[in-house]
Amino acid sequence: MATSPTRRRTALPLRRHSAICVCLLALAAATPALAQDGAAGEPQLRRFGVLVDAGAPHGIGISAVLRPLPWLRLQAGPTTNTLSFGLRAGVSLLPLQTFIAPSINAEAGHYFGSEYNDVVDWLGARPTGSSTSDVTYDYVGGSVGLEIGSASRFNFFLHLGLSYVALKVDDASAIIQDVANDPSITARDLSVRATVPSVKVGFLLYFF
């Protein structure tokens, strides 16, 4: 009889510890099941991929893609207009996570120098001078697009918008001489700025 209170005091902590252990075991058993349910119910967001596109006036490009959030896409990479090479970077907002969804896009880029004579030939004219002046240009563009497959591994898109282009010709003497047909004319650097429509089609493949 003297030991009854002692047994009661000992039994209470044991019951508490047993209850805690049972709860922990139940939580450990339920965690994998919850994780599997979440993985099955929500598609995994693929964050890294590659983008390939072609359009006017900025040519062909390939970019590495990072998608840190479902509604945000970042891309950057090299471009070419068949005359010279350039670099660009862009950002896209994807407000809807559906198979067919709109997008809002912005990008900026720079094309390194190409020879003036090559540019004139590309435009279908025949220059009379022999100058090798560099033609470079920078651009900033905005567009709205239609994304097909935006929430999946593969994505096809069409973008329409406007681009602000700043073109620069080092030593514009050759251009003035061709226009005026007077080889004695000299001129300094020439800068041309314009806003032009732009169109782009391409596809995007997410790896992981």
Side-chain angles (χ1 to χ4, degrees), residues 12-29:
L12 288 175
L14 289 176
R15 290 176 184 173
R16 291 173 184 165
H17 290 309
S18 299
I20 292 173
C21 291
V22 171
C23 292
L24 291 175
L25 290 174
L27 181 61

Side-chain angles (χ1 to χ4, degrees), residues 61-143:
I62 182 170
S63 298
V65 174
L66 171 63
R67 192 172 183 176
L69 297 169
W71 52 269
L72 178 64
R73 186 174 70 212
L74 308 174
Q75 55 262 354
T79 57
T80 179
N81 57 9
T82 72
L83 296 176
S84 61
F85 290 94
L87 294 173
R88 69 173 178 191
V91 58
S92 296
L93 301 180
L94 309 169
L96 299 178
Q97 308 309 307
T98 55
F99 184 75
I100 300 177
S103 65
I104 303 172
N105 313 279
E107 71 174 9
H110 172 79
Y111 269 104
F112 300 98
S114 57
E115 291 187 3
Y116 162 73
N117 289 346
D118 292 338
V119 174
V120 174
D121 288 338
W122 184 70
L123 294 174
R126 183 176 298 277
T128 59
S130 59
S131 172
T132 58
S133 298
D134 283 341
V135 179
T136 63
Y137 80 86
D138 302 306
Y139 63 91
V140 177
S143 65

Side-chain angles (χ1 to χ4, degrees), residues 35-52:
Q36 292 177 358
D37 292 342
E42 299 179 1
Q44 181 183 4
L45 176 64
R46 299 183 183 275
R47 299 181 183 275
F48 300 95
V50 62
L51 181 151
V52 179

